[in-house]
Amino acid sequence: MAKPYLHEAWYQAAWSDELSEMGSLTRTLLGMPVLLTRGSNGGIAALVDRCPHRFVPLSRGRFDGELVTCGYHGLVFDSAGQCVRNPHGPITERARIRSFPAVERYGRVWLWFGDPDCADSAMIPDLSFLDPLPASAVAHSYMSVETNWLLIVDNLLDLTHSDYVHPAFGDFVTDAEMTVDESKDGLSVGWIARDQETPHIYRANLPSDRSDIWLRSNWLTPSTIVVGTGATAPGSEPEWSLWSLHGITPESETRSHYFFGFARDFNLADADFTLLMQNAGTAAFVNEDKPILEAQQMRVGEADLFDLDPLVLPSDRGAVLARRRLRKLISAQPV
Amino acid sequence: MAKPYLHEAWYQAAWSDELSEMGSLTRTLLGMPVLLTRGSNGGIAALVDRCPHRFVPLSRGRFDGELVTCGYHGLVFDSAGQCVRNPHGPITERARIRSFPAVERYGRVWLWFGDPDCADSAMIPDLSFLDPLPASAVAHSYMSVETNWLLIVDNLLDLTHSDYVHPAFGDFVTDAEMTVDESKDGLSVGWIARDQETPHIYRANLPSDRSDIWLRSNWLTPSTIVVGTGATAPGSEPEWSLWSLHGITPESETRSHYFFGFARDFNLADADFTLLMQNAGTAAFVNEDKPILEAQQMRVGEADLFDLDPLVLPSDRGAVLARRRLRKLISAQPV
Amino acid sequence: MAKPYLHEAWYQAAWSDELSEMGSLTRTLLGMPVLLTRGSNGGIAALVDRCPHRFVPLSRGRFDGELVTCGYHGLVFDSAGQCVRNPHGPITERARIRSFPAVERYGRVWLWFGDPDCADSAMIPDLSFLDPLPASAVAHSYMSVETNWLLIVDNLLDLTHSDYVHPAFGDFVTDAEMTVDESKDGLSVGWIARDQETPHIYRANLPSDRSDIWLRSNWLTPSTIVVGTGATAPGSEPEWSLWSLHGITPESETRSHYFFGFARDFNLADADFTLLMQNAGTAAFVNEDKPILEAQQMRVGEADLFDLDPLVLPSDRGAVLARRRLRKLISAQPV
């Protein structure tokens, strides 16, 4: 049975650079067709991609940088969804389209799918640590994955999978110490693997052949995950120097938009290193995670995995707590 | 939820020339697989395309110009659906296939899907105005459209869409005067655009640079639409000189057979002009209407558009009345 | 509505030679994903192809000839489905996978899908007549058919279809005498066509230009069918000399695994003749039966054919009795 989405939340709908000036983009989000536009003033708007008259997608019409004209009978709507021109008669009360509160922040377009009066941009996941980083030190990409969005969240809250799915990244996570900390905004799962042989991919920035390796998945409701990693001389305090960034937005119950990015705070000007990091990460996500996640979806089907009575392991603690929190948030939604 | 079809009606099942002598054709109509045959005597027959024994399509068997032999176990049926040979035993009462009353008229094959005793060929939509026209002045074509059949009827009863979907045909319809006239056989929506600059495609046959342009969609239940157009010197009485002809037959709730044709009553011998007209019309229907209709279907899904509470405009009047009439006819059907 | 499978039965899951030493194979059987493995000791095991932890297919992991390691988080299972290594914590009671009793016999892998305590290998269909035949006299193949498994059983219990579907094999079955004999293990439908012109494909082994032709479909519950044929001098006792062997295992309600083979007990060393026989038979099944069976499935849809009130002919007697027997066996299953 279809489970309700968590609507009262901000989701990443696109990367900012997917919308050029006066550009538009149609994308199904939480089961809803959405037309995203960037006006000639640079502002982002989001409307249900469906004319209220004959239900033709507005994305088949024309956006002139300010107004959207339906391609079927020429009704014109502004960025708030209000009909501003009806060639066929008066503009009545009902001549409007639902719009979604939209905020552009951290190079991402965020949409709120709940009651617009409750759309508080302070609830957008805080990625402000990215703000000081120059463009040469960040990168991002996208893939569509035929899997339920929660299976991706699970994946990222149990990084022990890396030892088996991404063996090129080493195999130190399973035996690391794991801690889980809940917070107001979500929760954080940390791993510390002490006194390891420094894995090859960390060598560039590491002091020695042996190091403590730090990993942390910081989940911000509903579906942003910041994976930080760092390596320090054995016995030192943690330092976070390399991040992968994950925004997962349900398209439907069985397909997800997966926005992923990379950032670091060392070697900031080295765009070649950024490209290397992006290529390695993208290869891992596309070639190694995606097939697993889609095969998993085939076995889980339309059910909620946790309704199928899976074996729960200690390493699932973060994922279990996150799903429990999401269930509570969904139950608390206005009907 | 699947809505009942209007079975008590004549639908176009094929163009006459799709069935050569001793030829056959299988096509799903109103959700039903139908085998159409043309006997060696020229007559058309229509049977459910499914052997009553093991449900194999008869279209996988053999038609010899008179009898159909099932390809699985050799049962033989005549054009009325009666089993006339059973190699495996006696011919029992139940050894027969449902047949549909079939009439060939106006170069079209018409089938009746209701109670055969009520099949009155006088109810076939009257296209007798086509009879005097020579072959050089008519043309026809076909496309399968992944959309509900009523969305195509709607399309043709609100020709203001032409201004937005077919801009090459001019943009005079929205501002024209619209009239709707109901009749025993259906209804007619007319538009008159006075004192227009004569659009390019009408120039060949027009008296002057300015003209009154006449348009009329004549809907004949359940799904034949004759679109007539003409242009006259400003202030004259209407003259109809050019027609597009539309027969829409549901394949399923979400896919339709769209038979379309062209005719005119001037310049009758000019087959090149006919070809030009056919090419322009086909391009408009295939390249411009079809994508809109299929995108619309994606948004409407399995629902009836009018159950989704669409915004209704004055220009929808013809379509609204037609759908209302169809609902009444469907309700009045024997269960 | 989905109908329950007969689980309390042995089904062919694979040909033995599909599983090389230390090899594995994933296949959906009776709606269930199954991982088949052949250990380094040669033994066959069958597990649900789904890790109990996160439901990822084990077939995406690794089989080392003894143990299966899940590719997602590294849990390790033995051939009985018991978890023998959990890198993430203790091995709890529930850390196990359902396994299926598996027996290799007659070059086939057989699985039991019911209560393991009831898995009696004496119930495996008896094909021991094949044991003495040398490899040069047998052959086998496989196809996936998009049809309900019972439609294939029906097909094989009414060989009159051969006269219409496989005309190259002659057309003597319809007019042959048919007998049906029920037995403890299933039932047998026999046909004897007396004093026939010997069909071309039988000439190699026949005494004369005219002969009695014997055919028999021996159905062994639930879905093994041995089709024997022979030809004798007119008036002689039957001799069976040529067999086609059919194992049908449901993949889903609408798709089936069809394992078919060929055998004979004359001309035993002639591998070229075997190849000829295999090619002719395979061509008939793939090019002639498969399209009919799949077209039939399209017309039957998700329903049970016998719920659609088909016309039943005397030639259906074997199929009707077999389906009746299967219904009884299914009803008698523990819920």
Side-chain angles (χ1 to χ4, degrees):
Chain A
M1 185 193 317
K3 290 157 293 297
Y5 295 107
L6 176 63
H7 290 101
E8 303 281 320
W10 293 95
Y11 291 88
Q12 183 170 353
W15 292 107
S16 287
D17 60 12
E18 290 185 276
L19 283 163
S20 55
E21 194 181 297
M22 299 179 59
S24 66
L25 174 66
T26 181
R27 189 163 269 168
T28 299
L29 304 164
L30 285 72
M32 186 105 63
V34 177
L35 177 69
L36 294 163
T37 56
R38 182 188 296 282
S40 44
N41 63 359
I44 300 283
L47 302 177
V48 169
D49 186 18
R50 188 175 63 206
C51 181
H53 173 224
R54 284 291 172 169
F55 284 36
V56 165
L58 293 170
S59 53
R60 296 205 68 88
R62 198 161 31 83
F63 174 64
D64 68 0
E66 185 188 359
L67 302 172
V68 181
T69 303
C70 178
Y72 201 7
H73 299 95
L75 277 73
V76 181
F77 301 89
D78 68 15
S79 64
Q82 176 60 50
C83 181
V84 295
R85 182 167 134 69
N86 172 7
H88 309 283
I91 294 174
T92 58
E93 181 75 20
R94 299 188 45 241
R96 48 179 303 117
I97 307 171
R98 178 176 174 190
S99 70
F100 301 96
V103 172
E104 194 168 11
R105 192 177 286 177
Y106 317 125
R108 290 147 169 89
V109 175
W110 302 89
L111 296 190
W112 175 266
F113 289 91
D115 178 350
D117 291 340
C118 302
D120 176 1
S121 67
M123 291 173 67
I124 292 173
D126 181 1
L127 303 177
S128 55
F129 74 100
L130 293 171
D131 285 341
L133 299 177
S136 54
V138 296
H140 63 251
S141 192
Y142 166 85
M143 64 176 166
S144 172
V145 185
E146 197 160 350
T147 204
N148 180 272
W149 67 291
L150 289 170
L151 298 179
I152 308 179
V153 173
D154 291 345
N155 171 283
L156 291 161
L157 292 182
D158 177 6
L159 294 182
T160 66
H161 82 265
S162 181
D163 294 354
Y164 312 96
V165 176
H166 313 298
F169 294 168
D171 69 343
F172 51 83
V173 192
T174 299
D175 294 329
E177 301 166 32
M178 183 183 85
T179 54
V180 178
D181 294 294
E182 294 202 70
S183 70
K184 181 177 62 62
D185 300 327
L187 60 80
S188 169
V189 189
W191 293 264
I192 160 78
R194 297 192 197 276
D195 196 19
Q196 300 289 309
E197 187 177 353
T198 307
H200 183 72
I201 61 154
Y202 294 86
R203 298 256 164 139
N205 194 44
L206 276 185
S208 62
D209 278 0
R210 299 199 71 79
S211 49
D212 290 351
I213 305 177
W214 304 84
L215 261 178
R216 190 175 58 189
S217 281
N218 194 18
W219 173 65
L220 304 165
T221 55
S223 56
T224 297
I225 290 141
V226 179
V227 176
T229 182
T232 57
S236 312
E237 286 298 292
E239 275 175 33
W240 308 104
S241 51
L242 202 59
W243 295 277
S244 65
L245 304 140
H246 308 260
I248 302 115
T249 304
E251 172 172 335
S252 68
E253 285 292 327
T254 58
R255 190 177 270 283
S256 302
H257 302 286
Y258 192 161
F259 303 92
F260 54 92
F262 306 94
R264 70 178 183 287
D265 74 355
F266 61 91
N267 208 6
L268 293 176
D270 187 348
D272 285 351
F273 185 81
T274 303
L275 190 61
L276 200 77
M277 184 174 71
Q278 178 179 28
N279 287 346
T282 300
F285 301 157
V286 172
N287 300 335
E288 295 174 341
D289 285 304
K290 185 173 186 283
I292 287 271
L293 291 164
E294 295 186 337
Q296 189 185 13
Q297 176 63 43
M298 283 178 59
R299 291 294 184 259
V300 172
E302 306 260 311
D304 182 321
L305 173 62
F306 277 74
D307 291 341
L308 297 176
D309 200 21
L311 175 67
V312 176
L313 303 180
S315 46
D316 292 316
R317 193 153 127 238
V320 167
L321 291 174
R323 281 177 174 258
R324 198 174 292 165
R325 166 101 61 128
L326 286 169
R327 286 202 178 196
K328 258 187 223 164
L329 290 169
I330 289 170
S331 303
Q333 286 187 128
V335 186
Chain B
M1 184 192 320
K3 290 157 295 296
Y5 294 108
L6 177 63
H7 289 101
E8 303 281 319
W10 293 95
Y11 291 87
Q12 183 170 353
W15 292 107
S16 287
D17 60 12
E18 290 185 276
L19 283 162
S20 56
E21 194 181 297
M22 299 180 58
S24 66
L25 174 67
T26 181
R27 190 162 269 168
T28 299
L29 304 164
L30 285 72
M32 187 104 64
V34 177
L35 178 69
L36 294 163
T37 56
R38 182 188 296 281
S40 44
N41 63 359
I44 300 283
L47 302 177
V48 169
D49 186 18
R50 188 175 63 206
C51 181
H53 172 224
R54 284 291 171 168
F55 284 35
V56 165
L58 293 170
S59 53
R60 295 205 68 87
R62 199 161 31 82
F63 174 64
D64 68 0
E66 185 188 0
L67 302 172
V68 181
T69 302
C70 179
Y72 200 7
H73 299 95
L75 277 73
V76 181
F77 301 89
D78 68 15
S79 64
Q82 176 60 50
C83 181
V84 295
R85 182 167 134 70
N86 171 7
H88 310 284
I91 294 174
T92 58
E93 181 75 20
R94 300 188 44 241
R96 49 180 302 117
I97 307 171
R98 178 176 173 190
S99 69
F100 302 95
V103 172
E104 194 167 12
R105 192 177 286 177
Y106 317 125
R108 290 147 170 90
V109 175
W110 303 89
L111 297 190
W112 175 266
F113 289 90
D115 178 350
D117 292 339
C118 302
D120 176 2
S121 67
M123 291 173 69
I124 292 173
D126 181 1
L127 303 177
S128 56
F129 74 99
L130 293 172
D131 285 341
L133 299 178
S136 55
V138 295
H140 63 252
S141 192
Y142 166 85
M143 64 176 165
S144 172
V145 185
E146 197 161 350
T147 205
N148 180 272
W149 67 290
L150 289 169
L151 298 179
I152 308 179
V153 173
D154 291 345
N155 171 283
L156 292 161
L157 292 182
D158 177 6
L159 294 181
T160 67
H161 82 265
S162 181
D163 294 354
Y164 313 96
V165 177
H166 313 299
F169 294 168
D171 70 342
F172 50 83
V173 191
T174 299
D175 294 328
E177 302 165 31
M178 183 183 84
T179 53
V180 178
D181 295 293
E182 295 202 69
S183 70
K184 181 177 63 61
D185 299 327
L187 61 80
S188 169
V189 188
W191 293 264
I192 159 77
R194 297 191 197 276
D195 196 17
Q196 300 289 309
E197 187 177 353
T198 307
H200 183 73
I201 60 153
Y202 293 87
R203 297 257 164 138
N205 193 45
L206 276 184
S208 62
D209 279 359
R210 299 199 70 80
S211 49
D212 290 350
I213 305 177
W214 304 84
L215 261 178
R216 190 175 57 189
S217 282
N218 194 18
W219 172 64
L220 304 165
T221 56
S223 56
T224 297
I225 290 140
V226 179
V227 176
T229 182
T232 57
S236 311
E237 286 298 293
E239 276 175 32
W240 308 103
S241 52
L242 203 58
W243 295 276
S244 64
L245 304 140
H246 307 260
I248 302 116
T249 304
E251 173 173 336
S252 69
E253 285 292 326
T254 58
R255 190 177 271 283
S256 302
H257 302 286
Y258 192 161
F259 303 93
F260 54 92
F262 307 93
R264 69 178 183 287
D265 74 354
F266 61 91
N267 207 6
L268 293 176
D270 187 348
D272 285 350
F273 185 82
T274 303
L275 189 61
L276 200 77
M277 183 175 71
Q278 178 179 28
N279 287 346
T282 301
F285 301 157
V286 172
N287 300 335
E288 295 174 341
D289 285 303
K290 185 173 187 282
I292 287 271
L293 291 163
E294 295 187 337
Q296 189 185 13
Q297 177 62 44
M298 283 178 59
R299 291 294 184 260
V300 172
E302 307 260 311
D304 182 321
L305 173 62
F306 277 74
D307 291 340
L308 298 176
D309 200 21
L311 175 67
V312 176
L313 303 180
S315 46
D316 292 315
R317 194 154 126 237
V320 167
L321 291 173
R323 280 177 175 258
R324 198 175 292 165
R325 165 101 62 128
L326 286 169
R327 287 202 178 196
K328 258 186 223 163
L329 289 169
I330 289 170
S331 303
Q333 285 187 129
V335 185
Chain C
M1 186 192 320
K3 290 156 294 297
Y5 295 108
L6 177 63
H7 290 100
E8 303 281 320
W10 292 95
Y11 291 88
Q12 183 170 353
W15 292 107
S16 287
D17 60 12
E18 289 184 276
L19 283 163
S20 56
E21 194 181 297
M22 300 179 60
S24 66
L25 174 67
T26 181
R27 190 162 270 167
T28 299
L29 304 165
L30 285 72
M32 187 104 64
V34 177
L35 177 69
L36 294 163
T37 57
R38 182 187 296 281
S40 43
N41 63 359
I44 300 283
L47 303 177
V48 169
D49 186 18
R50 188 175 63 205
C51 180
H53 173 224
R54 284 292 172 169
F55 283 36
V56 165
L58 293 170
S59 53
R60 296 204 68 87
R62 199 161 31 82
F63 175 63
D64 68 0
E66 185 188 0
L67 302 172
V68 181
T69 302
C70 179
Y72 201 7
H73 299 95
L75 276 73
V76 181
F77 301 89
D78 69 15
S79 64
Q82 176 61 50
C83 181
V84 295
R85 182 167 134 70
N86 172 8
H88 309 283
I91 294 174
T92 58
E93 181 74 20
R94 299 188 44 240
R96 49 179 303 117
I97 307 171
R98 178 176 173 190
S99 69
F100 301 96
V103 172
E104 194 167 11
R105 192 177 286 177
Y106 317 125
R108 290 147 170 89
V109 175
W110 303 89
L111 296 190
W112 175 266
F113 290 90
D115 179 351
D117 291 340
C118 302
D120 176 1
S121 67
M123 290 173 68
I124 292 173
D126 181 1
L127 303 177
S128 56
F129 75 99
L130 293 172
D131 285 341
L133 299 177
S136 54
V138 295
H140 63 252
S141 192
Y142 166 85
M143 64 176 166
S144 172
V145 185
E146 197 161 350
T147 204
N148 180 272
W149 67 290
L150 290 169
L151 297 179
I152 307 179
V153 173
D154 291 345
N155 171 283
L156 292 161
L157 292 182
D158 177 6
L159 294 182
T160 66
H161 82 265
S162 181
D163 294 354
Y164 312 96
V165 176
H166 313 299
F169 294 168
D171 69 343
F172 51 83
V173 192
T174 299
D175 294 328
E177 302 165 31
M178 183 183 85
T179 53
V180 178
D181 294 293
E182 295 202 70
S183 70
K184 181 177 63 62
D185 300 327
L187 61 80
S188 169
V189 188
W191 294 264
I192 160 77
R194 297 192 196 275
D195 196 18
Q196 301 289 309
E197 187 177 353
T198 307
H200 183 72
I201 60 153
Y202 293 86
R203 297 256 164 140
N205 194 44
L206 276 183
S208 62
D209 279 359
R210 299 199 70 79
S211 49
D212 290 350
I213 305 177
W214 304 84
L215 261 179
R216 190 175 57 189
S217 282
N218 194 18
W219 173 64
L220 304 165
T221 55
S223 56
T224 297
I225 290 140
V226 179
V227 176
T229 182
T232 57
S236 312
E237 285 298 292
E239 275 175 33
W240 308 103
S241 51
L242 202 58
W243 295 277
S244 64
L245 304 140
H246 308 260
I248 302 116
T249 304
E251 172 172 336
S252 68
E253 285 292 326
T254 58
R255 190 177 271 283
S256 302
H257 302 285
Y258 192 161
F259 303 93
F260 54 93
F262 307 93
R264 69 178 183 287
D265 74 354
F266 61 91
N267 208 6
L268 293 177
D270 187 348
D272 285 351
F273 185 81
T274 303
L275 190 61
L276 200 77
M277 184 175 71
Q278 178 180 27
N279 287 346
T282 301
F285 302 157
V286 173
N287 300 334
E288 295 174 341
D289 285 304
K290 185 173 187 282
I292 288 272
L293 291 164
E294 295 186 337
Q296 189 185 13
Q297 176 62 44
M298 283 178 59
R299 291 293 185 259
V300 172
E302 307 260 311
D304 182 321
L305 173 62
F306 277 74
D307 291 341
L308 297 176
D309 200 21
L311 175 67
V312 177
L313 302 181
S315 45
D316 293 316
R317 193 154 127 238
V320 166
L321 291 173
R323 281 177 174 258
R324 198 175 292 166
R325 166 101 61 129
L326 286 169
R327 287 203 178 195
K328 258 186 221 162
L329 289 169
I330 289 170
S331 303
Q333 286 188 128
V335 185

